[in-house]
Amino acid sequence: MSSFFGIDETLILQEWPRVSMLVTIFYTIAHILPANLIRCYIFRSYLRYSLARILGGLGLLLAIETCFQLMYPRIYSTRIGFVFYFIYFFYFCAMTRVAFCKQITIVLPLGLVLLVLQNLAYTIEYHWPLFPIPFIESGILVPLGLGIFLPAFRKYKEKVAAPLLADTSLTDLWPPLAAMAFATLLLSILTSPFHEIRSLTAFLARFAASMGALAGISIALYAAKQVIQRRQLNLILAVTQEMHELEQEHYANIAKIEESTTAIQKELIGYAEHIAQLLEARDYDGIRAYSRSFLEGQQTLSARRLCNNELVNAIVNYWQDQLSQLQVKSDFNLILGKEDPIDPLHMTAILGNLMRNAAEALSRIDAPEDRFLKLSLMELGGLLIITVDNSFNGELQQDADAQYLSAKRGFASRGIGLDSIRYSVSQYHGTFETKIRGKLFEASVMLPLIAKE
């Protein structure tokens, strides 16, 4: 029988049977639990179930492996451990709400670090054994090594994993990266086959292989991160351009409203002057007739003042004119004060794009009686709440990331309007949600407001 220190393990098992059993259990747990706790930390915002339930399943798998290890006629079998490494790996992949290939790409560099720590622990125990029973010393050293690397793991999560997890649009990038990462880890493991060579030379060979694999994956991850950052910069540029166009549109709306207000003022002055003349002549019947004709004939007086906020009035009135041409049944519930609750540019981007998307969807409905829009905007409990519900023709398409594709672009690409809304909402750490109920499209925005002093 092979041995770890050149000592027959059969004699160790006979001399300390209970201690050997405890060492096997300890070593199994020490090699599995710390590393997978780090994985839970990396993916803690993307777990499918609660951490307690996931760790309960891990405990069950650990118990199964421990039973297999105790049935094997030696203290610890790396052959059994190697099989269970993959079982644990795929178990945590199933417990995480992240694309499988992306998980592999992000997690396997940590696997290479663990492989190096294990080989280092084996080599230290081989040259400087502190206990007569194998794997006690290395079972202590591996968790200690992971503890030393905790600050590095935290940086890895913040600087590398978080940006890669936040973006889900580069679907074509992850399969080749995952294949490369998995192959390099597998090759690194195969450089230390299932034998008992624990010499320093063997460790250096395995360490070099692991570092080479880690360097390759790190370069690939860096390239992926740069691609994502470039895409995000392009998105910000597109959103900025969109908001600039909306701002110009807003100012054009304000100019129209100002012209309408000036016309109303002139007509009201003329009305007051004529009434004054009729009063001097004591022509009360003429006053009544003139007032009635004025109110019936002056469309400018019907300028819709939907709330006290001039910006919201300007945006909604602009789109209401277009909705009227489409014969849309509109329902507005706007409760807002004079002061702008958020930056006018972001209000224009959010409300303007919501109304624009609704108008485009309504224009594609054939039957005018099926066109309906309901807009609600109010401050409630320290939140600005905006909801837009509109009917549509039932034709919607999404990309691989569940993002809606633009109908006016032939469903070939995502529309910039929704991205513009998301960008503005993110500036206030708010939420933006969309739902489909039959042929009703519901959009809601909730923005936390800073208390005014």
Side-chain angles (χ1 to χ4, degrees):
M1 178 175 290
S2 60
S3 63
F4 190 86
F5 299 112
I7 300 174
D8 192 342
E9 292 188 3
T10 305
L11 300 177
I12 299 176
L13 290 168
Q14 291 174 355
E15 187 173 354
W16 297 298
R18 293 184 179 178
V19 173
S20 299
M21 179 181 68
L22 293 175
V23 168
T24 298
I25 295 173
F26 163 73
Y27 187 81
T28 303
I29 294 174
H31 260 59
I32 297 303
L33 191 57
N36 284 298
L37 285 176
I38 292 172
R39 286 181 64 183
C40 287
Y41 172 71
I42 296 292
F43 292 112
R44 63 181 178 178
S45 299
Y46 301 89
L47 299 179
R48 291 184 182 274
Y49 308 102
S50 67
L51 183 60
R53 292 182 62 183
I54 293 175
L55 292 181
L58 176 63
L60 178 62
L61 292 176
L62 280 170
I64 294 172
E65 182 190 356
T66 302
C67 291
F68 278 105
Q69 293 285 4
L70 293 176
M71 291 169 59
Y72 197 72
R74 56 177 299 170
I75 293 175
Y76 182 85
S77 169
T78 54
R79 292 177 177 87
I80 295 176
F82 179 76
V83 173
F84 273 89
Y85 283 159
F86 284 93
I87 293 176
Y88 296 128
F89 179 80
F90 288 110
Y91 168 74
F92 273 92
C93 283
M95 294 296 104
T96 305
R97 294 182 293 102
V98 178
F100 180 72
C101 289
K102 181 181 286 191
Q103 286 193 59
I104 292 178
T105 306
I106 294 174
V107 168
L108 287 196
L110 304 178
L112 290 167
V113 173
L114 177 62
L115 183 64
V116 172
L117 289 175
Q118 287 176 338
N119 284 314
L120 179 61
Y122 292 151
T123 303
I124 292 174
E125 185 175 17
Y126 177 78
H127 288 283
W128 298 284
L130 299 178
F131 306 97
I133 300 178
F135 299 118
I136 295 181
E137 186 174 343
S138 57
I140 295 173
L141 290 175
V142 170
L144 287 178
L146 289 174
I148 294 172
F149 275 91
L150 278 180
F153 294 147
R154 188 179 298 110
K155 288 291 184 182
Y156 179 82
K157 177 184 183 299
E158 295 173 356
K159 303 297 183 181
V160 179
L164 296 178
L165 288 170
D167 189 278
T168 57
S169 61
L170 302 175
T171 53
D172 296 335
L173 176 67
W174 302 115
L177 277 181
M180 184 190 74
F182 195 82
T184 51
L185 179 63
L186 187 61
L187 290 173
S188 299
I189 293 175
L190 292 178
T191 58
S192 54
F194 306 111
H195 52 61
E196 302 300 329
I197 298 177
R198 309 293 180 185
S199 65
L200 185 60
T201 302
F203 166 70
L204 290 176
R206 297 162 191 161
F207 178 79
S210 300
M211 288 298 98
L214 185 60
I217 297 177
S218 299
I219 293 172
L221 286 175
Y222 176 79
K225 185 179 176 183
Q226 294 302 308
V227 170
I228 291 173
Q229 287 180 342
R230 186 170 64 250
R231 182 185 179 278
Q232 291 173 338
L233 288 174
N234 290 336
L235 173 60
I236 292 173
L237 179 62
V239 168
T240 302
Q241 183 177 356
E242 175 82 9
M243 292 178 72
H244 176 67
E245 294 174 357
L246 285 172
E247 187 177 8
Q248 290 180 325
E249 184 179 279
H250 161 62
Y251 286 130
N253 295 342
I254 293 294
K256 291 180 181 179
I257 292 174
E258 186 176 358
E259 291 177 3
S260 177
T261 302
T262 303
I264 292 173
Q265 289 175 343
K266 290 180 178 179
E267 296 206 19
L268 285 175
I269 291 172
Y271 170 77
E273 291 175 349
H274 188 69
I275 290 293
Q277 294 174 3
L278 293 174
L279 282 172
E280 289 179 3
R282 298 179 182 273
D283 185 1
Y284 300 113
D285 291 336
I287 292 174
R288 283 192 292 269
Y290 179 69
S291 299
R292 190 179 301 110
S293 64
F294 181 86
L295 291 173
E296 290 176 354
Q298 299 304 316
Q299 299 300 322
T300 53
L301 288 180
S302 64
R304 295 158 292 273
R305 187 172 182 81
L306 302 168
C307 68
N308 293 325
N309 188 277
E310 296 299 336
L311 174 61
V312 172
N313 280 326
I315 296 172
V316 177
N317 277 314
Y318 172 80
W319 288 106
Q320 173 61 11
D321 290 339
Q322 300 195 25
L323 296 176
S324 298
Q325 296 175 12
L326 293 171
Q327 302 178 33
V328 176
K329 291 174 286 187
S330 302
D331 181 11
F332 299 125
N333 180 28
L334 309 179
I335 306 174
L336 206 60
K338 292 183 179 181
E339 294 186 14
D340 294 323
I342 61 174
D343 185 278
L345 196 59
H346 290 300
M347 175 63 82
T348 304
I350 295 172
L351 184 56
N353 273 305
L354 287 175
M355 295 296 291
R356 173 181 295 171
N357 292 339
E360 290 176 356
L362 290 164
S363 68
R364 289 190 291 273
I365 298 177
D366 295 330
E369 61 272 14
D370 294 335
R371 298 170 187 159
F372 168 81
L373 179 139
K374 180 178 181 180
L375 168 65
S376 176
L377 190 153
M378 65 182 69
E379 292 185 43
L380 183 64
L383 294 173
L384 175 65
I385 302 174
I386 306 173
T387 62
V388 176
D389 304 336
N390 63 272
S391 55
F392 71 107
N393 61 3
E395 296 179 6
L396 282 179
Q397 293 186 24
Q398 296 174 297
D399 60 14
D401 306 315
Q403 301 296 333
Y404 293 110
L405 299 175
S406 174
K408 66 181 180 182
R409 299 182 183 183
F411 300 111
S413 62
R414 290 162 57 174
I416 195 63
L418 293 180
D419 284 337
S420 178
I421 295 172
R422 291 188 185 94
Y423 175 77
S424 293
V425 169
S426 68
Q427 302 306 299
Y428 291 87
H429 306 287
T431 60
F432 172 47
E433 296 181 352
T434 58
K435 292 182 180 179
I436 303 295
R437 299 182 188 274
K439 291 188 177 182
L440 182 66
F441 185 89
E442 301 177 353
S444 63
V445 173
M446 297 181 65
L447 304 178
L449 300 177
I450 301 175
K452 301 179 179 66
E453 299 181 355

